[in-house]
Amino acid sequence: MAARDWELVGAPNARDLGGLPAADGRRVRPGRLIRTAALGRLTDDDLPVLGKLAPACVVDLRHGTEQVVAPPDRLVGEPRVVHLPVYDAAHPVFTYVSAVLLGHDLDAYDELAREGMPAAMAAIYRWFVTGESARAGFGAAVRLAADGANLPLLFHCSAGKDRTGWLSVVLLTALGVDEAVIRADYLRHNELTESLREVLLAAMTRHRSDLDPAVARPLLEVRPQYLDAAYDEVRRVHGSFGAYLRDGLGVDDATVAALRANLLE
């Protein structure tokens, strides 16, 4: 099914990773790996589209504290739902970002505010590589994707851009997709959500007159420097992406082989 056949109004950055060129001249199978934002804002018209996609497994990377303040995912059928929270409530950058999003007092975050939101986002991406719940969640998600019983697999966080974006990077790298292709897919979020982003910015600044849109905008976008921060952390800690998969995420050669067998054509 072509991507244009299943646009989701309530998740405008949703996309199939199928068709991307991968290892050994092969391609990622269409309709097997679907990345989206949280599914709680799907419209009634979106539900038959999701039904056609028919995910066997839905991976939710949100923490429980994020789930309770959001509308519940709207699902079709009875997919296996797996919660793999990639979040650290004690991490100062996470609490700063939450404070900006929720309109809380930012006085306690003067140092982070001085460094700027792009620096905060880069710190989160470095944490994706080394954080305990990040390594556990991303590793478990890859193992789920390697099991044909879980395909099609749909995965999401809240906005479907950062945790979802990095999991896409991990999966596509394991499948042998070139870094330039992976980067292009990662950056597509911005074009797919441009109008939504402006609406969100307007709402945030209307709710908080003291919030500079220039502070909030980097939080609502993906940027090359965020991805670079994660790649740099992979090299710094593990030396190579293969070592990160093996030692950081516990994804062994057999899992990578199963992933490629099930997800490449």
Side-chain angles (χ1 to χ4, degrees):
M1 185 162 42
R4 64 179 178 275
D5 292 335
W6 60 265
E7 289 178 0
L8 298 171
V9 174
N13 61 348
R15 53 204 186 272
D16 185 345
L17 297 179
L20 297 179
D24 305 321
R26 301 164 79 190
R27 289 186 176 272
V28 181
R29 287 182 189 274
R32 292 293 181 268
L33 287 178
I34 314 295
R35 55 170 294 179
T36 73
L39 303 176
R41 302 192 189 282
L42 294 188
T43 67
D44 289 346
D45 288 342
D46 287 334
L47 296 182
V49 180
L50 185 63
K52 285 183 189 174
L53 284 167
C57 181
V58 173
V59 170
D60 187 340
L61 300 170
R62 296 175 297 175
H63 188 260
T65 56
E66 299 173 274
Q67 293 172 326
V68 297
V69 298
D73 275 0
R74 302 190 72 186
L75 301 172
V76 178
E78 296 184 357
R80 177 186 182 191
V81 177
V82 182
H83 291 130
L84 298 173
V86 174
Y87 188 80
D88 182 356
H91 195 297
V93 174
F94 277 90
T95 53
Y96 170 57
V97 167
S98 294
V100 171
L101 283 172
L102 299 173
H104 295 167
D105 186 358
L106 299 180
D107 288 348
Y109 303 100
D110 281 352
E111 186 175 343
L112 282 169
R114 275 196 303 275
E115 291 178 1
M117 186 60 75
M121 293 301 296
I124 286 176
Y125 274 69
R126 288 192 293 273
W127 176 87
F128 286 166
V129 177
T130 55
E132 185 176 351
S133 71
R135 291 188 296 108
F138 292 136
V142 174
R143 287 187 287 277
L144 286 170
D147 182 345
N150 295 317
L151 302 176
L153 183 130
L154 183 152
F155 56 98
H156 72 78
C157 51
S158 289
K161 69 184 184 75
D162 300 310
R163 288 166 290 188
T164 297
W166 184 246
L167 178 53
S168 295
V169 170
V170 170
L171 287 166
L172 293 174
T173 302
L175 290 170
V177 177
D178 184 75
E179 185 179 320
V181 174
I182 293 172
R183 185 177 292 268
D185 175 75
Y186 168 80
L187 292 172
R188 278 192 70 208
H189 170 85
N190 290 340
E191 64 181 87
L192 292 170
T193 60
E194 186 173 2
S195 57
L196 174 63
R197 194 162 60 250
E198 296 310 313
V199 169
L200 289 173
L201 270 173
M204 290 171 73
T205 50
R206 190 167 57 245
H207 177 62
R208 292 189 51 191
S209 58
D210 64 325
L211 182 62
D212 182 349
V215 171
R217 186 178 295 278
L219 178 57
L220 303 178
E221 296 175 341
V222 294
R223 296 187 174 185
Q225 71 201 78
Y226 305 164
L227 198 52
D228 290 341
Y231 276 131
D232 288 347
E233 193 73 350
V234 165
R235 284 188 289 268
R236 184 186 72 81
V237 177
H238 296 287
S240 70
F241 213 100
Y244 163 61
L245 286 171
R246 184 184 64 246
D247 303 329
L249 301 184
V251 174
D252 58 19
D253 291 346
T255 303
V256 171
L259 201 68
R260 293 186 177 191
N262 286 320
L263 289 166
L264 297 183
E265 60 178 11

